[in-house]
Amino acid sequence: MPNIQGDIENRPKELWTLPNYNHLPDESFQIDLASAAGKFLANDIFDLDGVQPLESVIFDLSKRFFEGAPVVGVNPSKEAIEYYRKRGDTFQMVNVVVCCHSFERRDGKLFALPYHVSLRPAMKKGSPQTVGIDWIENFDLEKVLDGKPHYMGFNPFSDAFGLYAIGAVPVNETICSDVIGFVYNTYFVASKHVPRDATDPGLCTELLGETKGVLGDYQKYRCKNYFKKFTDSKPFKIWGCDSPIELFLLQAMSQIGLHPKIQMHIYPDGTIFPSLQSMWEGGVRTKKLAQTITEADFFFEKEGVAVFCDSKAHHTTPAQVAKDKAVDEKLAAVGIRSYRVAGTDIVDSPFRCAALLKEFLTA
């Protein structure tokens, strides 16, 4: 087993038998973000390109129109370039990084299944990279993903990002496929943007409808997290697993056909949402998070089962055990069964843990 800088520690030995575990497939594949994280989040991330945020003043400067409405392309217009230049903007380069836990073939096509999405600034000499308006003007931002940029050794649980590289990832490289961070999108944050002037992606606002409170929550989230200036290399998590033991169990479950929702918020009225984005899409305000019973590591909606991967550090003291029991009782009150798996058992044999879980689901 290779010793890779930035690799995830304590990998279960049996996972090394999985196909494409320590290398990528020798054929093309597509990252299926919508199925894993939801349509809303996929659309939200899809629109993170070019110069961001798209301010209303930039639309006002546009000379391009579609059905009477102004259009802004990935590359800023000449008028926008001059506006940014006069305002004195610099631009911080941010990558949307997706890590995948395994691969699945559907209808003859191969799909990579994500387990984590984060934002990470491009770095130069140890600091987040910024570029000037001349660079933005002369570089074709539509080609920023040409060459398939990626990070080799991107560990989302330790903030290790490994080596940034351009070009196809070598198939036989001795690096686990789950720590290859694929750059899914790249955007450039204008340093002097006005948050209240930021517009929202049309694909997402259509899904949210006309609920002003929900739209306001979404706008605040985007400005606070997507367009906030990075001061160091630490990524910002958007969605996904929180620990290696969750990843290990997810990989084992995937091999036996179990595909749960990741990180599910569960509320006292029995409603469930896998992310803030899905809450907004359902017309629910962010403040509802304060009412959460718990956030399950995985959730099987059809069976009504919440799965928790319990690490020794956070689930062994009497107080911690009592807290877990109280959560289980609250879930049972809304018709949801809890299933807890010890982290030590997962590291010892994720396949056995997945098989036992499958038995529980069908009981």
Side-chain angles (χ1 to χ4, degrees):
M1 301 177 189
N3 181 17
I4 305 160
Q5 185 176 5
D7 194 20
I8 297 170
E9 297 181 349
N10 300 319
R11 289 183 178 275
K13 293 181 180 179
E14 61 188 28
L15 289 181
W16 291 87
T17 64
L18 296 178
N20 303 309
Y21 188 72
N22 65 334
H23 60 80
L24 289 180
D26 58 356
E27 61 181 286
S28 62
F29 56 87
Q30 178 181 338
I31 296 176
D32 185 9
L33 186 58
S35 294
K39 184 178 179 180
F40 184 98
L41 181 56
N43 287 342
D44 192 26
I45 291 174
F46 177 80
D47 274 329
L48 288 176
D49 58 9
V51 174
Q52 294 287 337
L54 291 177
E55 299 168 81
S56 58
V57 64
I58 301 302
F59 280 93
D60 293 340
L61 292 170
S62 177
K63 303 294 185 182
R64 296 170 55 195
F65 294 86
F66 178 75
E67 296 183 350
V71 175
V72 174
V74 175
N75 288 306
S77 66
K78 292 181 180 180
E79 293 78 13
I81 290 291
E82 289 309 309
Y83 178 82
Y84 290 132
R85 180 175 280 117
K86 289 180 181 179
R87 194 168 67 174
D89 284 279
T90 56
F91 305 86
Q92 190 171 80
M93 182 177 177
V94 180
N95 291 322
V96 180
V97 184
V98 177
C99 294
C100 300
H101 63 84
S102 55
F103 300 84
E104 181 178 79
R105 192 174 300 280
R106 305 175 201 150
D107 299 325
K109 296 181 180 179
L110 193 63
F111 291 89
L113 309 181
Y115 74 89
H116 199 277
V117 180
S118 58
L119 303 179
R120 187 183 185 281
M123 303 293 290
K124 185 175 183 180
K125 296 181 179 179
S127 299
Q129 182 181 6
T130 58
V131 297
I133 189 60
D134 290 340
W135 191 96
I136 294 291
E137 182 179 23
N138 293 311
F139 189 84
D140 186 352
L141 301 186
E142 291 185 350
K143 296 183 178 180
V144 72
L145 295 181
D146 286 3
K148 301 179 180 179
H150 57 275
Y151 295 90
M152 299 181 68
F154 192 97
N155 183 345
F157 309 120
S158 69
D159 299 332
F161 56 88
L163 174 68
Y164 179 79
I166 300 291
V169 183
V171 170
N172 293 318
E173 187 73 27
T174 53
I175 184 169
C176 292
S177 57
D178 56 20
V179 288
I180 295 176
F182 300 100
V183 178
Y184 193 82
N185 225 341
T186 297
Y187 61 103
F188 299 81
V189 180
S191 61
K192 295 190 176 182
H193 72 270
V194 180
R196 66 176 179 274
D197 196 36
T199 62
D200 305 314
L203 289 173
C204 290
T205 52
E206 288 178 8
L207 291 173
L208 293 183
E210 301 297 327
T211 308
K212 290 185 178 180
V214 173
L215 282 170
D217 288 348
Y218 173 51
Q219 291 163 352
K220 290 177 183 177
Y221 176 86
R222 294 184 84 238
C223 288
K224 179 181 178 181
N225 298 303
Y226 294 177
F227 310 135
K228 181 181 179 181
K229 182 180 179 180
F230 280 91
T231 58
D232 54 35
S233 64
K234 185 176 181 179
F236 169 74
K237 176 193 168 185
I238 295 178
W239 167 88
C241 294
D242 284 329
S243 68
I245 55 175
E246 294 171 33
L247 170 61
F248 300 154
L249 182 59
L250 182 62
Q251 289 168 324
M253 288 191 293
S254 179
Q255 293 305 303
I256 59 174
L258 297 181
H259 299 290
K261 293 293 185 181
I262 297 174
Q263 298 296 326
M264 183 71 77
H265 298 278
I266 306 175
Y267 300 91
D269 60 2
T271 55
I272 53 175
F273 295 102
S275 65
L276 270 173
Q277 289 80 2
S278 65
M279 284 176 57
W280 298 327
E281 189 177 356
V284 179
R285 297 289 306 277
T286 302
K287 60 185 179 182
K288 188 178 177 70
L289 280 177
Q291 305 169 18
T292 306
I293 293 177
T294 188
E295 184 178 4
D297 297 323
F298 304 109
F299 188 75
F300 291 89
E301 191 167 2
K302 180 181 177 181
E303 295 83 359
V305 172
V307 179
F308 300 91
C309 301
D310 291 348
S311 65
K312 186 176 181 180
H314 299 101
H315 297 273
T316 53
T317 68
Q320 291 167 342
V321 171
K323 182 180 178 181
D324 289 343
K325 183 179 179 181
V327 167
D328 295 345
E329 290 173 350
K330 290 178 181 178
L331 292 178
V334 293
I336 294 175
R337 295 184 293 164
S338 294
Y339 188 87
R340 295 186 176 274
V341 191
T344 51
D345 290 341
I346 294 173
V347 172
D348 182 57
S349 178
F351 289 162
R352 182 172 64 246
C353 291
L356 291 173
L357 172 57
K358 190 171 185 177
E359 290 181 10
F360 181 83
L361 292 171
T362 56

